[in-house]
Amino acid sequence: MAKLKFTKTALLALAPPEAGKRLAVYDTEVPKLAMRITAAGSRTFYVVKRAGASMAWVKLGAFPEMTVEQARTEAQKILGEFATGANPAAARRAIRGEPTFAEVFEQYLDEKKKRDGTPLSERTKRDYRDVLRMYLGPIKASKLSKITRAEVKAIHTQTTKKSAAQADRSVIVISSVFNFAADLELFEGTNPAGRIQKNPAPSRDRFAQSTELPHLFAAIAESSLCDFFLLSLLTGARRSNVQEMAWRDLDLDAGIWRIGMTKNGTPQNVTLSPEAVAALRVRKRTTGTSAFVFPGTGQTGHIVEPKKAWATILRRASVRRLLDHLESLGKLTAEERKRADKQLLEAPAAAEKRYRTIADALEIDPALYDMTDLRIHDLRRTLGSWQAKTGASLAIIGKSLNHKTHQATAIYARLDLDPVRQSVETATQAMLEAAGVKQPADVVRLPTRSSKQN
């Protein structure tokens, strides 16, 4: 346990810890006074006191906005409250009074745990801070008990004019912070964000059609992340789970991928088709000693943001569909097509601009070729849609995609993986055949690393 005499100079001189860790140091003058320093360099004063079987960290304020002397004075007051038998929340209220929304918001980001016991990710924290900064200005300086339902509804109404999704997210953030405050006994009363009517969710049923699959598979094969997108499609798993796929969770002989925790709070056994297993076996020989199937150079150790690669895939797939259409109209010679394909590989953005301009001049409807509205999540929907097209029941589709509904959960629980496997493999065969990638019972041949483009 690091100790030093707190002074402004000494505290500012402390170097932040490495990424993903926090440093705690204690004052020699008031031993229960501590400072936590994050990898980002933020410094916060706390009083640390045992409360039952656990340690309570009572947040005092951020340094240097709160001075060392102010922190020591407030720490002594709170320790006095502890001495009378007060719990951490009661001690905080007795000394500081009711906190503001912004204060509890920061404590929420710092202390909130997800269902699997892990802290909020840095990305989630960044997204929530953006919501606070952009939409929650009217309430962030208000005491919790002063925030009314009418204010929350007004925030929702105003934000909806800019983004219905962000309006709903704003209400969710407010509600979560109030629930967190109630759990810590920082707030008593009714959650003002409770039962606020959300905006109607736009229905999305987009998935890759049979006419799109040949172009999609061809563009995926040219990507440096082709394995990632191929496995996203063949497993139907959520993007975050594919990003975090670890070798220890894979049983390639049994064709099973065990996900310990999914977005809906439950584990999942994902059945792996022979094509998925083949792709993974090839990849195993190229990932070295990494614990992850898709290693990354960042803090997580795995890939975190495939959007740029996906945008390139969609650009190439769309332009190729357009080139096919131009050829069918007699607007493109064989030699011009060869040059167009070469440009599409080497400079996809320039190729897209050139041939979209031609399409506009010929008044070709973009709906005939444009695939850029296809999202990464639609790969998941594509597997489910092809399962339905090939005769799978809704219960089997729900089990294979780990959907969770009150009505179907009991049915899913009674299913074993055999019918799920049959359904996934049947859908995979149909998709690959529609794409012209393989004949029945063949194994997907992935391009070698050296042949892939970014």
Side-chain angles (χ1 to χ4, degrees):
M1 183 170 65
K3 294 183 179 180
L4 60 88
K5 183 177 180 180
F6 282 6
T7 65
K8 183 176 182 178
T9 301
L11 294 177
L12 289 174
L14 292 172
E18 63 185 55
K21 295 187 178 181
R22 289 185 298 191
L23 171 67
V25 292
Y26 292 79
D27 185 25
T28 55
E29 297 290 308
V30 180
K32 302 298 182 183
L33 175 63
M35 171 177 281
R36 270 182 175 170
I37 305 174
T38 69
S42 66
R43 291 163 164 78
T44 308
F45 288 116
Y46 288 86
V47 168
V48 186
K49 185 74 170 64
R50 182 168 294 281
S54 61
M55 298 300 292
W57 287 71
V58 182
K59 186 175 180 179
L60 301 181
F63 173 80
E65 289 80 4
M66 172 177 273
T67 67
V68 171
E69 287 308 313
Q70 289 171 336
R72 284 178 177 148
T73 299
E74 191 154 335
Q76 295 284 22
K77 291 178 181 179
I78 289 182
L79 290 170
E81 289 292 323
F82 274 129
T84 67
N87 63 30
R92 187 200 304 270
R93 287 199 304 270
I95 300 304
R96 303 187 66 196
E98 186 181 9
T100 65
F101 180 86
E103 289 172 334
V104 180
F105 175 87
E106 287 300 325
Q107 187 178 356
Y108 171 84
L109 297 188
D110 191 44
E111 300 176 12
K112 176 65 177 177
K113 296 293 190 294
K114 295 186 288 189
R115 282 176 287 195
D116 61 358
T118 60
L120 299 178
S121 69
E122 291 304 316
R123 178 175 178 176
T124 296
K125 292 179 182 180
R126 183 173 64 251
D127 290 345
Y128 281 17
R129 286 195 174 101
D130 285 343
V131 169
L132 179 73
R133 174 178 55 82
M134 297 173 66
Y135 308 117
L136 306 187
I139 65 170
K140 66 181 184 181
S142 300
K143 301 288 187 180
L144 293 182
S145 65
K146 302 298 183 183
I147 299 173
T148 65
R149 181 179 174 81
E151 287 179 296
V152 178
K153 290 181 71 174
I155 288 172
H156 185 259
T157 300
Q158 287 299 115
T159 305
T160 296
K161 296 176 182 178
K162 300 177 181 178
S163 167
Q166 287 293 75
D168 289 346
R169 175 173 288 189
S170 297
V171 172
I172 291 171
V173 169
I174 295 170
S175 182
S176 298
V177 169
F178 270 91
N179 288 336
F180 175 78
D183 289 342
L184 294 184
E185 300 180 8
L186 299 175
F187 170 76
E188 295 178 358
T190 302
N191 187 331
R195 301 187 310 281
I196 298 289
Q197 184 67 45
K198 305 295 192 301
N199 290 302
S203 177
R204 183 169 177 84
D205 56 5
R206 182 74 165 94
F207 67 97
Q209 305 290 331
S210 58
T211 55
E212 296 174 319
L213 283 173
H215 304 89
L216 181 63
F217 270 87
I220 286 175
E222 295 164 349
S223 172
S224 60
L225 295 181
C226 75
D227 298 342
F228 175 85
F229 295 115
L230 181 66
L231 287 166
S232 295
L233 177 61
L234 298 186
T235 64
R238 294 176 176 89
R239 185 180 75 174
S240 59
N241 293 130
V242 180
Q243 289 172 185
E244 298 167 4
M245 184 188 289
W247 291 115
R248 68 184 179 193
D249 298 326
L250 293 165
D251 185 341
L252 298 184
D253 292 332
I256 296 293
W257 170 25
R258 172 71 175 177
I259 302 177
M261 186 65 65
T262 61
K263 182 178 179 180
N264 66 19
T266 62
Q268 180 187 7
N269 281 336
V270 178
T271 180
L272 299 173
S273 65
E275 292 78 14
V277 171
L280 286 163
R281 289 194 189 281
V282 171
R283 185 155 193 87
K284 180 66 174 174
R285 298 194 290 269
T286 67
T287 54
T289 59
S290 174
F292 295 104
V293 177
F294 300 104
T297 57
Q299 178 179 327
T300 64
H302 57 73
I303 183 176
V304 294
E305 191 47 84
K307 288 184 179 179
K308 185 176 180 180
W310 181 243
T312 299
I313 287 171
L314 295 183
R315 178 179 287 122
R316 285 175 172 158
S318 298
V319 174
R320 282 210 180 90
R321 290 188 78 199
L322 173 57
L323 294 175
D324 286 353
H325 188 64
L326 290 173
E327 276 193 304
S328 71
L329 295 175
K331 302 294 184 182
L332 205 64
T333 66
E335 184 61 30
E336 288 171 336
R337 176 61 190 262
K338 185 177 179 180
R339 289 197 299 269
D341 286 335
K342 184 174 185 294
Q343 184 183 30
L344 191 56
L345 280 174
E346 297 174 352
E352 179 185 40
K353 182 178 180 180
R354 177 180 180 181
Y355 289 101
R356 278 187 182 271
T357 300
I358 293 173
D360 291 342
L362 295 172
E363 298 184 347
I364 296 174
D365 185 353
L368 293 174
Y369 64 87
D370 196 347
M371 294 171 57
T372 55
D373 66 328
L374 197 67
R375 302 174 186 170
I376 296 176
H377 189 78
D378 293 334
L379 294 176
R380 171 176 166 82
R381 189 179 291 106
T382 295
L383 177 63
S385 299
W386 279 84
Q387 285 178 275
K389 287 163 69 77
T390 51
S393 70
L394 293 179
I396 288 178
I397 295 170
K399 177 73 180 291
S400 62
L401 298 183
N402 198 38
H403 286 164
K404 187 176 181 181
T405 65
H406 296 300
Q407 296 83 2
T409 300
I411 297 175
Y412 296 165
R414 292 198 297 270
L415 292 174
D416 60 34
L417 283 178
D418 289 339
V420 172
R421 180 182 301 281
Q422 180 180 358
S423 171
V424 169
E425 293 183 5
T426 299
T428 296
Q429 293 287 333
M431 285 190 292
L432 296 177
E433 289 168 26
V437 174
K438 65 185 291 294
Q439 296 298 317
D442 289 343
V443 175
V444 172
R445 302 297 180 187
L446 296 181
T448 60
R449 288 278 159 202
S450 61
S451 68
K452 294 175 188 173
Q453 306 295 322
N454 289 327

